[in-house]
Amino acid sequence: MGKRHKIMITFDEHCALVALPKKPRLRKGDTIRWDSPHGPVRINFPDRSPFGARGEVAGSTSHRVTAYRGTFKYGCGVTVKSGKHIGWPGETAPGSGGEVVIET
């Protein structure tokens, strides 16, 4: 059984969404999920993801890593309590996101 990883999504001083830790290192079989105290999180892998899915996934769901190795960039968005969407997709904080590194 792999390790469980939780990524916290919060805001930086420019109101962009950032992931903490910024560049988690995982292995095949680990699980990952994204959460935010600000609201529900959506994650988008524009090229490929470490768990075989392409495109958008729910951050609050645990996803099992199926990749053996690589760096996977993603964008993220949060719908805050007022209903406003911040981050990806859209023009509010377009730099919002992070990377996941899968090690052998």
Side-chain angles (χ1 to χ4, degrees):
M1 201 73 184
K3 291 173 63 177
R4 292 187 290 179
H5 301 267
K6 183 176 177 182
I7 309 302
M8 184 60 60
I9 303 296
T10 191
F11 295 99
D12 70 8
E13 66 275 10
H14 305 291
C15 289
L17 295 173
V18 294
L20 301 172
K22 291 185 178 191
K23 210 176 206 183
R25 297 191 175 309
L26 292 77
R27 296 182 182 273
K28 183 177 180 183
D30 288 359
T31 58
I32 186 171
R33 67 181 284 149
W34 291 263
D35 285 313
S36 175
H38 308 293
V41 178
R42 299 298 294 175
I43 303 296
N44 180 272
F45 289 91
D47 299 319
R48 58 191 180 117
S49 79
F51 28 83
R54 283 190 70 164
E56 187 175 319
V57 297
S60 60
T61 302
S62 291
H63 302 278
R64 185 164 309 280
V65 174
T66 59
Y68 284 98
R69 181 176 220 163
T71 299
F72 301 85
K73 293 185 180 194
Y74 64 88
C76 61
V78 172
T79 303
V80 296
K81 291 177 175 77
S82 70
K84 182 177 180 179
H85 185 79
I86 306 295
W88 178 92
E91 297 186 16
T92 59
S96 298
E99 292 181 331
V100 174
V101 178
I102 309 303
E103 299 177 329
T104 323

